[in-house]
Amino acid sequence: MYLILGNDDFCPGGSIYTNPKEPSLFLSRGNHADVFFTPRKRSRISGPFVFSEEGFEQKKPVSIDVLPDECLFEIFKRLPGGEERSACACVSKRWLTLLSNIHRDEFCSNTTNLLLNPQDEVTGNKDQEVESCGYLSRSLEGKKATDVRLAAIAVGTASRGGLGKLTIRGSNSGRGVTNLGLRAISHGCPSLRVLSLWNVSSIGDEGLCEIANRCHMLEKLDLSQCPAISDKGLVAIAKKCPNLTDLSLESCSNIGNEGLQAIGQCCPNLKSISIKNCPLVGDQGIASLLSSVSYVLTKVKLQALAITDVSLAVIGHYGKAITDLVLTSIPNVTERGFWVMGNGHGLQKLKSFTVTSCQGVTDTGLEAVGKGCPNLKQFCLRKCLFISDSGLVSFCKAAGSLESLHLEECHRITQYGFFGALSTGAKLKAVAFVYCLGLKDLNLGLPEVSPCQSLRSLSIRNCPGFGNAGLALLGRLCPQLQHVDFSGLEGITDAGFLPLLENCEAGLVKVNLSGCVNVTDKMVSSMAKLHGWTLEMVNLEGCKMISDAGLVAITGNCPLLSDLDVSRCAITDFGIASLACADQLNLQILAMSGCPLVSDKSLPALVKMGQTLLGLNLQHCKAISSSTVDRLVEQLWRCDILS
């Protein structure tokens, strides 16, 4: 046994213990030697030292940074848990990089770590299971999108549930995300299920291949404006990620038919595909993809592609499971393509169909689609100039299950087509016509049409020719209306709107008259008296002829009203006070922007209504001072105030 007793060199004054050989003061150093130490603080030695004839000689300090990467790699592999790895990753970028390049499988198993920490034997398996679940989501945008941040995410999320969703939008111009960043994610996040890359030009096939090689649980891939990614990267994803269910490609100039063919052949669970503005994608890729996953693919969205009638024929034949179909800006598709698609008898399950800016849509093709899709419930047609009244009516007759019809910028549709669609659509519940210049009052008499008892929601917006005559006819044709939106119809007046109010039997719930500059307080009073017991939302923005009298009618008859917009109306402080005095009124949203006659005098009324208000718009109310707004913000702490 060797003893080192306190002396003048280390501990001046000698030992302070009565029995310097007390066993509890020995530190075991093996079977052959014990070392005795005096529990007294000594001066810190900043580096190693050796004993020579001349005394103690201090050596130059040695940093752990002199260890090569291979040694640090072996050390980091033996860290017992995620918390220790995260702590080490905070030391330096070098350590962070090394840790992020260690694959999850390369870390020592729990059985090895038990030799160092036997208490973890019970909880080790549970921790490992939690780390692989992929609960966490991370999003990097703009300057924050760098390889260093991705490396930190890869290391930090491992012990906190595992990374399940990663979104990268844009990239740092100086130190942007590259393939190295995705490599770090692939090594540390094998549980990744959702990957979204938007406008990341520095990531190429190499990075996507890293994800494919290690993130086999990937289910959703979204690539937008990634010019460096080609078919090679997409093929790697297809071969290594068989669980892929959702694929979205936008403005990827180097992805074409080969990648789509691989997806179709290797991803049997694909349910949704969206392709936009990919110039290399053609009929061959679309046909191969759809024919391979025809029994599972439910959602298809094709936009700005160089495909032809062949692709539509394939959709009509192989789209056996498709429920949602969107076709936008496909210039090479003709009438024949839509006709063949409708007669392919493959779209039996189609429920929602949207067509935008496709000049190949004609009356003949539209009728064929209606006949070939017996379960179609929602149809939206935008900017298709060759659809006429007869085509619309024929479509509505053929599509017997149609419940929602939306037409926008279809200028050949007139009131004949509009009312014909309402009378033939036996199950229509919602109809919307937006900016259809052909929809205007006609002097010629319309044929007798049967009422549309199923219609609950009607929207006619920004159709400048639609006026009182059409509105009065709607009242007789649609007695069960509950939601109406006539915003931007400057031609309607009280004379046209009153018959509609009188014929609506179910009771109006939501009314939007924004921009109807010719309606007055008389209409508001009639609406409040006839439908006040059901009204929940009223929008009168820009109705300059509506004043305090209209608000007084609302306060006394609309107990369920929760959302009121009287912006740019002729209301004053008296009208606001009347709203506050109505005990049965419980407004949650009040918009009165651009009301120059409302002043600081309305402060007490607004404070009283603040008991129920959640949103208040006071923008451009020039008579309300900033001090009043400050007091409102202070007192109405629950309310979101715009000023």
Side-chain angles (χ1 to χ4, degrees), residues 414-430:
T414 69
Q415 280 199 359
Y416 287 104
F418 173 71
F419 287 108
L422 292 181
S423 62
T424 55
K427 297 183 179 180
L428 277 176
K429 296 180 179 179

Side-chain angles (χ1 to χ4, degrees), residues 53 66 120 122 135 175 268 361 383 441 583:
E53 295 179 357
V66 301
D120 292 340
V122 177
Y135 295 123
R175 296 173 297 173
V361 182
K383 299 181 180 180
D441 288 348
D583 296 332

Side-chain angles (χ1 to χ4, degrees), residues 1 10 97 130 141 178 243 281 366 369 372 396 404 461 508 637:
M1 185 191 307
F10 291 96
T97 303
V130 170
E141 298 185 14
T178 66
N243 294 326
V281 172
L366 193 61
V369 169
C396 291
S404 175
R461 306 195 305 268
L508 294 176
W637 56 272

Side-chain angles (χ1 to χ4, degrees), residues 388-400:
S388 67
D389 293 335
S390 60
L392 179 61
V393 173
S394 298
F395 170 78
C396 291
K397 287 181 179 179

Side-chain angles (χ1 to χ4, degrees), residues 252-515:
C252 295
S253 55
N254 288 311
I255 292 180
N257 296 330
E258 182 182 353
L260 293 182
Q261 289 174 352
I263 291 291
Q265 294 171 2
C266 303
C267 300
N269 299 314
L270 189 69
K271 296 180 180 179
S272 175
I273 179 71
S274 175
I275 309 174
K276 177 182 178 181
N277 192 27
C278 295
L280 298 183
V281 172
D283 292 328
Q284 183 180 0
I286 298 297
S288 177
L289 175 66
L290 291 175
S291 61
S292 300
V293 292
S294 60
Y295 290 98
V296 293
L297 188 64
T298 59
K299 296 182 179 180
V300 176
K301 183 177 181 180
L302 306 178
Q303 181 173 354
L305 300 178
I307 58 176
T308 67
D309 297 337
V310 174
S311 292
L312 264 63
V314 172
I315 293 175
H317 182 74
Y318 288 102
K320 302 182 185 302
I322 295 179
T323 59
D324 297 83
L325 177 61
V326 178
L327 302 176
T328 304
S329 300
I330 305 179
N332 297 330
V333 171
T334 66
E335 177 185 76
R336 181 182 178 184
F338 283 94
W339 186 87
V340 173
M341 182 177 68
N343 286 279
H345 304 293
L347 297 175
Q348 299 294 310
K349 295 184 178 180
L350 187 66
K351 294 182 179 180
S352 176
F353 187 25
T354 300
V355 184
T356 304
S357 299
C358 293
Q359 303 309 317
V361 182
T362 63
D363 294 342
T364 302
L366 193 61
E367 183 180 2
V369 169
K371 293 179 179 178
C373 306
N375 293 303
L376 185 65
K377 296 183 180 300
Q378 299 177 358
F379 180 65
C380 178
L381 194 65
R382 297 189 181 99
K383 299 181 180 180
C384 295
L385 304 180
F386 297 106
I387 298 297
S388 67
D389 293 335
S390 60
L392 179 61
V393 173
S394 298
F395 170 78
C396 291
K397 287 181 179 179
S401 300
L402 191 66
E403 296 180 354
S404 175
L405 176 65
H406 182 108
L407 269 70
E408 185 172 343
E409 296 189 45
C410 297
H411 302 309
R412 292 188 63 188
I413 303 297
T414 69
Q415 280 199 359
Y416 287 104
F418 173 71
F419 287 108
L422 292 181
S423 62
T424 55
K427 297 183 179 180
L428 277 176
K429 296 180 179 179
V431 172
F433 280 68
V434 181
Y435 194 59
C436 294
L437 300 182
L439 193 61
K440 52 188 177 182
D441 288 348
L442 300 176
N443 295 327
L444 299 177
L446 292 172
E448 289 294 330
V449 291
S450 58
C452 183
Q453 297 286 346
S454 61
L455 194 67
R456 298 292 185 271
S457 175
L458 177 62
S459 176
I460 304 175
R461 306 195 305 268
N462 299 316
C463 299
F466 195 87
N468 290 337
L471 203 59
L473 184 57
L474 278 175
R476 300 194 302 270
L477 186 62
C478 309
Q480 302 300 320
L481 281 178
Q482 294 179 334
H483 303 163
V484 294
D485 184 351
F486 299 136
S487 55
L489 301 186
E490 298 182 355
I492 64 174
T493 64
D494 295 348
F497 201 75
L498 289 176
L500 178 68
L501 295 175
E502 294 172 354
N503 287 282
C504 288
E505 302 171 357
L508 294 176
V509 177
K510 295 182 179 180
V511 177
N512 187 350
L513 300 177
S514 173

Side-chain angles (χ1 to χ4, degrees), residues 538-541 551 563-569 571 576 579 587-595 613 615-619 621 642:
V538 174
N539 188 339
L540 303 173
E541 180 186 2
L551 292 187
D563 189 336
L564 176 63
D565 191 340
V566 289
S567 301
R568 298 187 290 119
C569 293
I571 61 172
I576 301 301
L579 288 177
L587 280 179
Q588 296 182 357
I589 305 295
L590 175 61
M592 43 188 250
S593 65
C595 295
L613 280 179
L616 177 62
N617 189 346
L618 301 176
Q619 291 179 314
C621 293
L642 296 177

